Amino acid sequence: MRKEPMSVLANRLTELLGVEYPIIQEGMGPYQTDQIAAAVSAAGGLGTVSMPGMTKEPEVGARLLREHIDNVASLTDRPFAVNVPVGRDSTGKVLPVSEAYIQAVVDARASDPALERQLRVLTTSAGFPGEFRPLISGSGLVHMHKVGATAHARKAELAGVDVVIASGYEMGGHTHAKPVHTFVLVPNVTEAVSVPVVLSGGARDGRTLAAALALGASGVAMGTRFIATEDNTDWHPAYTERILAAGEGDDAVAPGVYGPARVLRNAAVDRLQRMVENDELSPDELTRWKDEALIRAQSVGDVDGGLVPAGQVCSGISEVVRIAEFVPNMANEAAAILRDLAGAAEPAR
């Protein structure tokens, strides 16, 4: 793998991931994010391949995921990640599709020396991936794990995870049953673990990246900000328009596939709440309805009848940006802010 140029914000996270800027694209499934992932990686950040559905048959899902991995590798020569939610059934057993996705990532990396150089990171979320640590560690992948509590961060570090993503309650998509917001969670986590910590939830520009670094994080992960980009050609434009139109208070926390999920309020959220309250569907039927509603919003732009995951940060997003310009500009803005603040803090002479 080629050595990346020294960045104004180079740190142990960028060195570990092999990227120029400490800016990561979140997993944004259950629909494809190939174009976003390739663009973020090409711009010097870390793009992420999203898993292609949470109710796929394991072999079908694994095959589709491999197709997305190969596609991103063909679109950029930079490092990228794959995100896999670790879902569990009522007995605590990992869902077969989650296991199949993790195995597909490991197999993809092992099958192709060129792909091994690019497929650098596996990000796990939703559930604790402890039983997969030997497999992930043995594959040579950098393992990032997303948590919503300091206790979970400690548990992840003890298990050998390389990077912890501390995701505040305001984040989009699957969030946490016990709400702890970013400004509280991140400094708690950075004090509790020694591995690099990434802030997720509320980041959208250089100011928020600078704030994350000031809180002790080594970088940020963003999903909602990357939806409203010229590069997001995989998703229907109506989704971007809905993000740009959202204001403060337009979000809601609804029952997601693996737990609570932050989405934008619409008819689908109301319908979901009624189905849950009235026990209209079996658990498997309800999970499939949610999965299909999520994909429908992203793929065909049904932003009223489909579920629209988004973070509260969308209230501060007002324009579509180009990732190739946005990522380095965000890093440079953060560096300038930190330099100005450091200069202003110098004692008078």
Side-chain angles (χ1 to χ4, degrees):
M1 182 177 294
R2 70 183 184 186
K3 186 176 179 60
E4 294 299 332
M6 183 63 70
S7 163
V8 291
L9 294 179
N11 58 27
R12 60 179 180 152
L13 177 69
T14 59
E15 182 177 356
L16 178 65
L17 303 182
V19 300
E20 189 173 355
Y21 306 114
I23 297 171
I24 298 167
Q25 169 231 331
E26 283 271 31
M28 297 156 59
Y31 192 59
Q32 65 194 54
T33 57
D34 296 7
Q35 298 296 327
I36 298 176
V40 172
S41 288
L46 184 74
T48 300
V49 176
S50 299
M51 54 85 199
M54 294 173 273
T55 56
K56 301 284 186 187
E57 290 299 319
E59 61 274 13
V60 174
R63 184 173 66 252
L64 285 172
L65 182 60
R66 178 58 190 269
E67 290 175 4
H68 292 315
I69 290 170
D70 288 340
N71 188 35
V72 172
S74 74
L75 295 172
T76 180
D77 62 354
R78 303 287 186 93
F80 62 89
V82 179
N83 173 242
V84 177
V86 182
R88 297 180 183 273
D89 62 20
S90 58
T91 69
K93 184 179 179 181
V94 173
L95 298 177
V97 70
S98 292
E99 185 171 1
Y101 283 148
I102 292 174
Q103 189 66 57
V105 177
V106 172
D107 290 346
R109 193 172 194 272
S111 68
D112 184 344
L115 191 56
E116 181 181 10
R117 291 190 292 272
Q118 285 185 264
L119 179 47
R120 186 75 172 254
V121 180
L122 174 65
T123 301
T124 52
S125 56
F128 184 64
E131 56 264 67
F132 297 104
R133 275 297 305 144
L135 175 65
I136 298 169
S137 177
S139 72
L141 286 159
V142 174
H143 186 184
M144 300 197 299
H145 181 61
K146 183 183 292 187
V147 303
T150 303
H152 297 162
R154 291 194 185 100
K155 183 178 181 181
E157 182 179 40
L158 286 173
V161 167
D162 302 295
V163 178
V164 167
I165 302 175
S167 58
Y169 189 56
E170 63 266 49
M171 66 172 287
H174 280 99
T175 183
H176 313 289
K178 295 182 179 180
V180 182
H181 289 274
T182 301
F183 210 79
V184 175
L185 179 65
V186 171
N188 286 354
V189 171
T190 59
E191 290 175 0
V193 301
S194 60
V195 297
V197 175
V198 173
L199 176 150
S200 178
R204 63 181 170 100
D205 55 15
R207 296 173 301 167
T208 45
L209 174 55
L213 298 174
L215 291 173
S218 296
V220 298
M222 303 181 294
T224 304
R225 172 64 273 189
F226 285 126
I227 294 172
T229 58
E230 294 179 6
D231 311 84
N232 185 17
T233 55
D234 285 326
W235 291 20
H236 195 280
Y239 204 115
T240 291
E241 293 169 7
R242 184 67 185 90
I243 295 294
L244 296 176
E248 294 176 357
D250 286 348
D251 62 298
V253 175
V257 176
Y258 299 127
R262 188 171 303 284
V263 295
L264 295 180
R265 297 177 187 276
N266 62 8
V269 175
D270 296 336
R271 172 70 176 136
L272 175 58
Q273 297 286 11
R274 289 195 300 270
M275 287 192 295
V276 171
E277 291 169 2
N278 298 326
D279 290 325
E280 294 182 21
L281 300 175
S282 71
D284 287 345
E285 290 172 334
L286 186 61
T287 296
R288 186 166 297 280
W289 185 93
K290 295 172 187 174
D291 203 31
E292 292 173 352
L294 290 163
I295 293 172
R296 195 163 61 248
Q298 296 169 355
S299 62
V300 300
D302 184 4
V303 294
D304 192 43
L307 294 173
V308 184
Q312 291 183 334
V313 72
C314 63
S315 65
I317 296 173
S318 59
E319 62 178 348
V320 174
V321 297
R322 184 168 175 264
I323 289 174
E325 300 167 354
F326 172 78
V327 168
N329 288 347
M330 180 178 177
N332 288 329
E333 179 188 5
I337 290 169
L338 294 172
R339 283 195 302 267
D340 289 346
L341 290 174
E346 291 181 0
R349 296 179 181 177

